[in-house]
Amino acid sequence: MDLKVSNGPGLGDERTTSLLLLGFLQSCPHSCFQRELEALGHELPGRLFHDEELQTDGNRYSHFPLAAETDSERQEEAVRDVARQLAEIGDRLEGSIRPGMVAGLASHFSVRSLSEEDRRQCLAAALEQLMQTCPADMDHEKTRLLLTMLLAKKIADHSPALLRDVFRTTVTFINQNLLACVRNLVRNEMD
């Protein structure tokens, strides 16, 4: 059976991307934004990670219909695995992000009057600068995805209060620009 991230009993594109970014950020245990991340995880639609939530009968909480539960759980696990793998790779690339770039992005995200589109453009500009410093032999789209999530991590680490805004902007940016990459990574992990 060929499962697609966006079709059938799948998680849906925004949910998948949110799960991927949340899993990526949760794989950064020494970050300054862990309290904010935990709160965000509880606020996201569908309670993306609910492993710790047990019902009184000992079963896991699930909002999926019973028939789709196995596929959805398998897909969630694949997304979490991809997030962990990307976080491991990100640990090696994190040093390529200059503190000045992070401070500038955090400053832009702090401006309340800045539109969501303006924030995405700031993120895109920073991403293009970073892409110029990456080795040419790395997969272009996967690297773009990884660096986008690393930028979100670094901004949230710099200014934890910006986590929600950064998270929302990053999910939207990924869905608009890198969704095919996300789908392929999850599909490959499930195969």
Side-chain angles (χ1 to χ4, degrees):
M1 173 195 282
D2 182 26
L3 295 174
K4 301 229 187 264
V5 174
S6 62
N7 297 330
L11 300 172
D13 293 335
E14 187 167 338
R15 180 172 158 73
T16 299
T17 305
S18 294
L19 179 62
L20 182 66
L21 182 56
L22 185 68
F24 179 86
L25 295 173
Q26 286 176 329
S27 295
C28 309
H30 303 294
S31 300
C32 299
F33 55 82
Q34 289 303 311
R35 186 175 53 231
E36 290 83 358
L37 186 61
E38 184 178 324
L40 177 66
H42 289 291
E43 294 170 10
L44 290 173
R47 299 296 300 233
L48 298 172
F49 287 119
H50 42 261
D51 289 339
E52 296 83 28
E53 292 185 40
L54 296 179
Q55 296 175 341
T56 55
D57 62 0
N59 291 319
R60 282 179 23 159
Y61 163 81
S62 179
H63 72 282
F64 298 110
L66 188 56
E69 188 171 332
T70 302
D71 288 341
S72 295
E73 287 177 0
R74 187 170 153 240
Q75 196 166 351
E76 273 194 29
E77 187 59 36
V79 172
R80 284 184 269 199
D81 288 344
V82 169
R84 281 189 291 269
Q85 292 166 17
L86 289 172
E88 288 173 14
I89 297 167
D91 287 344
R92 294 188 297 265
L93 290 177
E94 193 168 353
S96 67
I97 301 176
R98 295 181 330 269
M101 177 185 278
V102 173
L105 283 168
S107 174
H108 285 300
F109 273 81
S110 296
V111 177
R112 292 287 158 211
S113 62
L114 202 63
S115 72
E116 183 69 18
E117 180 61 29
D118 290 338
R119 288 182 178 149
R120 283 192 303 272
Q121 287 176 358
C122 290
L123 188 60
L127 179 60
E128 289 313 310
Q129 285 180 9
L130 287 174
M131 286 299 293
Q132 294 173 10
T133 66
C134 287
D137 63 338
M138 292 180 71
D139 176 88
H140 185 73
E141 290 302 300
K142 186 175 178 181
T143 303
R144 285 175 48 93
L145 175 63
L146 176 59
L147 289 174
T148 300
M149 294 192 301
L150 266 177
L151 283 170
K153 173 193 180 263
K154 298 292 272 182
I155 296 166
D157 231 359
H158 182 274
S159 302
L162 295 175
L163 177 65
R164 283 178 179 77
D165 291 337
V166 171
F167 190 92
R168 181 183 61 249
T169 299
T170 304
V171 167
T172 302
F173 180 86
I174 291 170
N175 283 339
Q176 288 178 349
N177 301 287
L178 299 164
L179 189 56
C181 180
V182 172
R183 288 176 178 164
N184 288 335
L185 288 170
V186 173
R187 190 176 304 118
N188 290 341
E189 186 66 29
M190 291 180 72
D191 288 343

